[in-house]
Amino acid sequence: MMAIRAPAFNELRFEGIGRAFGAVDALRDISLTIRRGEFIALLGPSGCGKSTTLNILAGLLDATSGAIWLDERRIDALRPEERGFGMVFQNYALFPHMNVRRNIGFGLLMRKVSRDEIARRTNEAVALVRLGGQEDKLGGQQQRVAIARAIVIEPPLVLMDEPLSNLDAKLRLEMRTEIRRIHSGLGATTIYVTHDQEEALSLADRIVVMRAGGIRQIGSPEAVYERPATLDVAEFMGFRSRLVGEVVKSDDIWGTVRVGDSTLRGALAAPLRTGGQAVLAMRPADLAPADADASTVPVRVTSGEFRGDGFSCAGLDAGGSEIWFVSPCRVGIGEIVNLRANPERARLYPAGEG
């Protein structure tokens, strides 16, 4: 029976956390509650503040404002070792002269845990990350060793900073499955930093989308993927094609915009004013060539790449907006193609946002 378990707590709370580097605000008013057992992904482009947030939580950076609470205990003033969190760095930070067993048990040794207890917990961690038979090796599967080292200390939180970014595509897929399995088996709370949307969608219970030092959206993977709250979140989640038009009709759920001679429909991301300007955002896969009518947009094709199951294409509409779409057959450069958007997959945002 596995004895390594995460200690119990109810919630971790960020309350108005900020971090300034000189005159630059790297983080602004980060407020977030994380429940015990959750897998949280901090998702966003480089420089958005996600690693800074994780480093403040770990105690590697000081916040310049706000507080962090673990239940009723304020922890942001504690030293890193007093917080007791496990951390997996991007470069793993393993000791090259130590074998797998010694690397995993190092944190316990520093905590002056007894030799028998170190051996017991190390063996359990080795089994949990499936490194049996490799305990005496130098090097090897560093990401598994780093995860084992993080969990063997029985932390309330496991913090992971882009741990798979240096792996090839096949190994990344394999390790995603392993990380989720280990998280579930340990009963831990995991906070995972990534810029990879697919990684966040496949791993997380909730995704925290960050941009320019702030939180833009918090939600389930399905909500963030299907219903981005803002235009910049939509762009980051793959809504690459944008058309700006005049709002001709709007209710609580749907809106209709006029773009040139075309009339297009989409789901509302926010209330719109009839007669105002709005942006219709779409993923390339939700735009396809069709016979011309009032609900299609003509574009002049500027590129087309074969992707095995079809062609990934780009073109310009009459107003000069770049539109990406998918075509089942080859289209010629310079050809005019009429595109129809799937209204249930298109999202409408107020113009000037994001």
Side-chain angles (χ1 to χ4, degrees), residues 164 167-178 198 202:
L164 307 184
L167 304 182
D168 62 42
K170 181 177 181 296
L171 195 51
R172 274 202 308 273
L173 287 173
E174 176 186 318
M175 284 308 302
R176 282 208 316 244
T177 302
E178 288 294 280
E198 188 176 324
S202 66

Side-chain angles (χ1 to χ4, degrees), residues 19 21 51-53 55-63 76 80 83:
R19 170 70 196 197
F21 293 96
S51 290
T52 300
T53 302
N55 286 331
I56 289 173
L57 176 57
L60 304 178
L61 277 177
D62 293 328
D76 53 283
R83 304 184 192 196

Side-chain angles (χ1 to χ4, degrees), residues 63-187:
T64 48
S65 60
I68 304 175
W69 298 82
L70 193 64
D71 289 335
E72 301 311 311
R73 184 189 187 202
R74 184 169 176 176
I75 65 170
D76 53 283
L78 299 179
R79 296 192 302 271
E81 61 272 21
E82 294 175 317
R83 304 184 192 196
F85 300 157
M87 189 155 185
V88 182
F89 297 93
Q90 185 174 348
N91 63 1
Y92 309 127
L94 300 177
F95 297 106
H97 63 286
M98 291 185 182
N99 63 19
V100 167
R101 179 181 294 280
R102 291 180 63 202
N103 260 299
I104 293 172
F106 182 78
L108 297 175
L109 185 67
M110 293 297 98
R111 287 168 170 78
K112 303 188 186 310
V113 175
S114 70
R115 184 172 298 180
D116 288 346
E117 180 70 3
I118 291 174
R120 181 188 67 79
R121 285 208 230 167
T122 300
N123 288 338
E124 290 179 359
V126 165
L128 189 59
V129 301
R130 296 178 176 170
L131 280 173
Q134 302 184 50
E135 297 93 326
D136 298 322
K137 289 185 177 179
L138 295 172
Q141 299 184 51
Q142 294 186 45
Q143 66 281 352
R144 290 179 187 266
V145 178
I147 292 169
R149 184 183 60 184
I151 65 178
V152 76
I153 63 172
E154 298 184 331
L157 293 166
V158 177
L159 314 181
M160 297 190 175
D161 192 358
E162 307 227 29
L164 307 184
S165 61
N166 295 327
L167 304 182
D168 62 42
K170 181 177 181 296
L171 195 51
R172 274 202 308 273
L173 287 173
E174 176 186 318
M175 284 308 302
R176 282 208 316 244
T177 302
E178 288 294 280
I179 286 172
R180 186 69 213 197
R181 178 186 63 79
I182 292 165
H183 166 85
S184 300
L186 186 64

Side-chain angles (χ1 to χ4, degrees), residues 184-214:
S184 300
L186 186 64
T189 304
T190 302
I191 303 177
Y192 189 100
V193 163
T194 182
H195 65 275
D196 187 311
Q197 299 95 316
E198 188 176 324
E199 215 169 83
L201 291 168
S202 66
L203 283 170
D205 299 313
R206 286 191 298 156
I207 296 174
V208 179
V209 185
M210 299 184 66
R211 178 175 182 257

